[in-house]
Amino acid sequence: MDSPTLVIDSLDPLINPGGQSAHVHSVSGGSAFAASMDFGLTQTSKCTTFPLIDDKSNYWMPAVYFHKNGKFTRLRESVFKHKIYYKYGKSGNIPDLEIIEFPPGFRMMSGDSNLRSYDESLGSGGSQLNWMCHGGSNPKATGFPKGSTNCNAYLGGLAASMRFPSCWNGQDFNKDAPLAHMAFPTTTGGMAGCPEGFKKARFPEIFVEYWLDTKPFDGQYGADEVPWVLANGDPTGFSFHMDFLNGWKPGVLARAIRGCDNGNRYTSLESPQCFGPGSVQSGPAREACTIAPVVQQDIGDNGPLNALPGCNPIQAGPGRATKANCDGGGRADLLSPASSVAAPVASSVSGSSASIVTTAGSIQSSSTSSPKPTVTGSTSTGGSPSGLQPASVNSTSGVWKAAGCFLDAINPRSLGKQSEWWGSEISSSNCVERCDSLGAKYAGTENGGQCFCGNQVINSANRPGKCTIRCNGDAEEICGGSGHLSIYSLDGSVSLQKRAAHHRHNRHSQNYGLAS
């Protein structure tokens, strides 16, 4: 997905919430971007720079400057802009159903702004940072490349690429330890690829390219020179980093993960298996989505600067950069920061089941209705003996009871395919209603937004404590876990059946996802 620039500003609602950031960033995404943000604010965006109207997320990364004779001029984004890719599949163009959408309010960062030399976190098992000069011999390197006197603007200019981690430990972002809650997968495919301690959820892998126009500086540097410097004072390029604040409308990305193979088969983003008709906006509409910077300062767009904006003296390393002391000078004043301080993640992926406090009891409903049922009964901590919420659902055939949390064999599905239902409106209670109306013996929910009905539970096992994901359609209910089912039956029991062994999904990766 191509994205124009929303704003160039010294804001960073993750690392410097409510204040001015240490350096200048290039920002894309929803127009509600501000000094402090939460998920609710993202949803107030009047426009977005992304093709998909329901994606109000924000991405930001340090600006890049041309540095010559002590002067600094900002590189503007090239015609290729920011390119955002979502990868969530595996071998054979099969969706990886253990990958789920980001919960509301989710935030993360990739890269380390203090690096000044190569670190293993930048390698194949980490962020996979790469810089490439698209011109001449196309030199590329983990840091800024040498070997060319121009980066052909027709071919895109200078570009950085980097991926975000995708394995989550269930904790919120901590600005004092910004990389602690996420990890890169050790292998492709499913939760098995996530390292221990980071198996709370696996999200789509976000891969970003940042394209810059270097044509104004062609011929002004030699092949053995590196004339570029990041806005944080890094002349090596090793400290390139990116921030992400989720602003996807809940349920939208989840539906695409199940069947959109735009990246490999060039399926239209507006196809039913992707985002549907009317989901994509025009290029001119995205280009028109801009906001005014909050920090009033000269960022080097109208002529060379004598110093980088903020307090960012050049630190070439190879040791880690240290906090600079500018004696109180060299910083612009921050004007009226917007919104309230960011709140913790309003997560559809909860903590351990023992910590869940919800309203339990019978849920009154009819088998044909789809609106959210009315919750009645007493309040409890911990809910049913199975640890699931709700503990029971009152449907046409009687009171269905929570049987427990069970492994979903996936291939084939443990509840079979008598009925599958996917969507943002799903809860355990309306899944029970649906399965009851179909005459099924069991109802099971998974990954917050999947409902399965069946008469057998095959190749499964009881997995207490693995079902902790809140339902997309009702945050007070639990809808299974990653690769695990919250199962309900009329008598609250499950008879496990065995069939011939089937391998779970092939773990080899394919470029399956969103791209354009």
Side-chain angles (χ1 to χ4, degrees), residues 6 15 46 56 80 95 104 113 137 155 183 224 227 276 397 443 454 474 495:
L6 176 73
I15 302 297
K46 302 301 183 183
K56 307 294 176 60
F80 293 98
S113 63
S137 61
L155 297 175
D224 61 343
S397 298
D474 189 337
S495 176

Side-chain angles (χ1 to χ4, degrees), residues 205-295:
E205 180 184 300
I206 302 176
F207 181 81
V208 179
E209 296 176 353
Y210 181 35
W211 292 76
L212 299 155
D213 182 6
T214 60
K215 186 173 179 58
F217 312 105
D218 285 356
Q220 297 186 41
Y221 55 95
D224 61 343
E225 293 182 85
V226 176
W228 323 118
V229 59
L230 294 175
N232 61 353
D234 174 19
T236 71
F238 289 115
S239 74
F240 184 74
H241 53 281
M242 303 183 299
D243 299 74
F244 168 69
L245 176 65
N246 177 39
W248 282 92
K249 181 180 179 181
V252 171
L253 183 56
R255 289 195 298 273
I257 290 172
R258 293 192 301 272
C260 183
D261 58 356
N262 172 265
N264 275 334
R265 299 180 180 179
Y266 303 101
T267 304
S268 168
L269 290 175
E270 292 191 283
S271 64
Q273 65 265 42
C274 290
F275 298 94
S279 60
V280 178
Q281 62 177 333
S282 68
R286 292 185 284 125
E287 292 284 354
C289 187
T290 60
I291 61 175
V294 173
V295 178

Side-chain angles (χ1 to χ4, degrees), residues 247-435:
W248 282 92
K249 181 180 179 181
V252 171
L253 183 56
R255 289 195 298 273
I257 290 172
R258 293 192 301 272
C260 183
D261 58 356
N262 172 265
N264 275 334
R265 299 180 180 179
Y266 303 101
T267 304
S268 168
L269 290 175
E270 292 191 283
S271 64
Q273 65 265 42
C274 290
F275 298 94
S279 60
V280 178
Q281 62 177 333
S282 68
R286 292 185 284 125
E287 292 284 354
C289 187
T290 60
I291 61 175
V294 173
V295 178
Q296 301 301 301
Q297 62 183 336
D298 188 346
I299 60 173
D301 280 358
N302 300 312
L305 302 174
N306 293 323
L308 291 168
C311 178
N312 294 289
I314 299 295
Q315 297 189 58
R320 293 177 61 83
T322 58
K323 186 174 182 179
N325 182 359
C326 294
D327 297 323
R331 293 194 66 101
D333 291 327
L334 176 69
L335 305 182
S336 60
S339 84
S340 59
V341 174
V345 174
S347 174
S348 62
V349 184
S350 70
S352 65
S353 58
S355 66
I356 297 167
V357 181
T358 64
T359 302
S362 298
I363 298 179
Q364 307 298 326
S365 63
S366 69
S367 60
T368 57
S369 63
S370 59
K372 176 182 174 181
T374 302
V375 178
T376 63
S378 60
T379 301
S380 66
T381 301
S384 68
S386 66
L388 302 185
Q389 297 289 355
S392 60
V393 178
N394 189 9
S395 192
T396 302
S397 298
V399 179
W400 288 57
K401 302 178 181 63
C405 182
F406 293 83
L407 173 72
D408 187 354
I410 306 292
N411 187 21
R413 289 283 180 184
S414 289
L415 277 176
K417 291 194 173 183
Q418 178 177 334
S419 174
E420 298 176 83
W421 180 28
W422 312 68
S424 60
E425 72 275 20
I426 286 176
S427 65
S428 283
S429 54
N430 59 29
C431 179
V432 166
E433 296 171 358
R434 182 182 181 91
C435 295

